[in-house]
Amino acid sequence: NAGVTQTPKFQVLKTGQSMTLQCAQDMNHEYMSWYRQDPGMGLRLIHYSVGAGITDQGEVPNGYNVSRSTTEDFPLRLLSAAPSQTSVYFCASSYRASGGYEQYFGPGTRLTVT
Amino acid sequence: AQKVTQAQTEISVVEKEDVTLDCVYETRDTTYYLFWYKQPPSGELVFLIRRNSFDEQNEISGRYSWNFQKSTSSFNFTITASQVVDSAVYFCALNPGSSNTGKLIFGQGTTLQVKP
């Protein structure tokens, strides 16, 4: 059971380039989310999904695109990278546990846009 | 508005001291869930505790304890007899509402440094 996996771990992009951050989970969780972490700001929700084929925007969705064609995968696409997207990106998945909802986080992807 | 505030940006203590990390939240929902996560220097996020809004019992797990007070909208975290391995960034988070949508609202985080 690998949990939540993210690839790549590190990435450097030039302004204007596009790329996809991969996220996969093998726990059959319905819910998956993408967050970005910036110094002094905690984690902020970018996009989330409550099941295959269903996605919605979070707090900071601009410049990012997502799709959820399978339960297992939830890729995050940067359409045209900007320096403001330099951040650490975390993917998470969750299910409804007794008494609440526990989110499992991937190890993160550190992205630098120059 | 739904918000989580961790007013302490950085805390530095000497090993074996007790330390309390503050968390204040805002939500209009009557059902909600609160979490604490630990982020050690290696960068991963480690789940510590989940608490629902109907359970105000304090919880103790080894050297860790949590004090949930709805009257003050606070969910504070205390580490007793701190150790160097407790050095990390700690996040408080809110899952508003009774339905899980995979959404968490995080505080800004508190960096705890425990010196030997």
Side-chain angles (χ1 to χ4, degrees), chain A residues 1-84:
Chain A
N1 199 341
V4 180
T5 58
Q6 291 183 238
T7 55
K9 289 188 177 179
F10 301 94
Q11 183 70 50
V12 179
L13 290 178
K14 293 186 177 178
T15 298
Q17 287 184 317
S18 62
M19 79 157 294
T20 299
L21 307 185
Q22 301 293 342
C23 175
Q25 52 94 6
D26 61 358
M27 298 173 282
N28 203 31
H29 288 171
E30 290 179 273
Y31 310 118
M32 296 186 75
S33 313
W34 275 103
Y35 296 83
R36 59 176 289 173
Q37 181 180 11
D38 302 295
M41 302 189 73
L43 281 77
R44 293 180 294 168
L45 183 65
I46 304 172
H47 286 286
Y48 65 100
S49 169
V50 299
I54 306 170
T55 64
D56 206 346
Q57 297 180 353
E59 181 186 352
V60 288
N62 292 341
Y64 307 96
N65 203 354
V66 292
S67 60
R68 183 100 178 269
S69 55
T70 66
T71 298
E72 294 78 19
D73 300 300
F74 191 42
L76 178 72
R77 297 182 188 85
L78 279 69
L79 308 173
S80 178
S84 61

Side-chain angles (χ1 to χ4, degrees), chain B residues 65-81:
Chain B
S65 62
W66 290 268
N67 180 256
F68 175 34
Q69 292 195 345
K70 286 180 76 171
S71 60
T72 56
S73 297
S74 64
F75 186 42
N76 297 336
F77 172 33
T78 297
I79 302 174
T80 302

Side-chain angles (χ1 to χ4, degrees), chain A residues 31-33 35 37 40-45 48-50 57-58 88 90 94-107, chain B residues 9 31 33 35 37 39 42-47 50-52 89 91 95-109:
Chain A
Y31 310 118
M32 296 186 75
S33 313
Y35 296 83
Q37 181 180 11
M41 302 189 73
L43 281 77
R44 293 180 294 168
L45 183 65
Y48 65 100
S49 169
V50 299
Q57 297 180 353
V88 180
F90 287 97
S94 63
Y95 65 101
R96 184 171 181 169
S98 172
Y101 314 100
E102 185 166 333
Q103 295 229 5
Y104 293 79
F105 283 86
Chain B
T9 304
T31 302
Y33 298 86
F35 300 78
Y37 284 87
Q39 186 176 44
S42 52
E44 74 273 22
L45 286 157
V46 179
F47 167 79
R50 173 187 64 242
R51 172 68 66 207
N52 75 57
V89 182
F91 291 100
N95 183 160
S98 58
S99 300
N100 182 18
T101 54
K103 298 164 65 175
L104 285 180
I105 299 168
F106 282 83
Q108 303 92 319

Side-chain angles (χ1 to χ4, degrees), chain B residues 32-34 49-53 55 57-59 68 75:
Chain B
Y32 51 88
Y33 298 86
L34 295 164
I49 190 172
R50 173 187 64 242
R51 172 68 66 207
N52 75 57
S53 54
D55 183 0
Q57 270 193 327
N58 290 335
E59 179 149 346
F68 175 34
F75 186 42

